[in-house]
């Protein structure tokens, strides 16, 4: 049985700083006080996208964060085998 890979991405430049993602998934998201935008904790920039891998235990809260984002710049991508 394979391992499920879950990646969360954010088009960082398009963030409006509402904080909905931080409320939904504080284990992955925080507000950057200098920029006034949300950032993925331990996220890495890949071009214009901030991304990180998460554990399956954090999947539901990150789906909630993506759904709550008013500008729809968060994606949760699931790849691979069973969780």
């Amino acid at each position: 049985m394979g391992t499920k890979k879950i990646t969360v991405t954010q088009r960082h430049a398009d963030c409006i700083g509402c904080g909905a993602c931080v409320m939904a998934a504080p284990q992955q998201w925080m507000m950057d006080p200098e920029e006034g935008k949300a950032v993925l904790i331990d996220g890495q920039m890949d071009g214009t996208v901030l991304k990180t891998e998460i554990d399956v235990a954090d999947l539901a809260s990150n789906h909630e964060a993506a759904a709550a984002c008013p500008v729809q710049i968060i994606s949760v991508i699931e790849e691979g085998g069973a969780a």
Side-chain angles (χ1 to χ4, degrees):
M1 191 182 304
T3 301
K4 182 173 268 194
K5 177 181 173 183
I6 305 166
T7 304
V8 177
T9 67
Q10 175 206 41
R11 292 189 324 267
H12 185 68
D14 296 330
C15 179
I16 62 171
C18 77
C21 55
V22 177
M23 296 294 289
Q27 70 281 12
Q28 255 80 51
W29 296 93
M30 64 179 232
M31 294 302 293
D32 181 326
E34 292 178 18
E35 285 189 304
K37 296 183 178 197
V39 293
L40 277 163
I41 297 169
D42 296 327
Q44 300 295 316
M45 286 302 288
D46 183 6
T48 60
V49 175
L50 192 59
K51 67 192 300 187
T52 194
E53 287 188 28
I54 63 167
D55 293 326
V56 70
D58 297 322
L59 180 60
S61 61
N62 278 278
H63 272 301
E64 184 180 331
C69 179
V71 289
Q72 298 296 289
I73 61 168
I74 299 170
S75 296
V76 179
I77 304 151
E78 301 176 56
E79 302 174 39

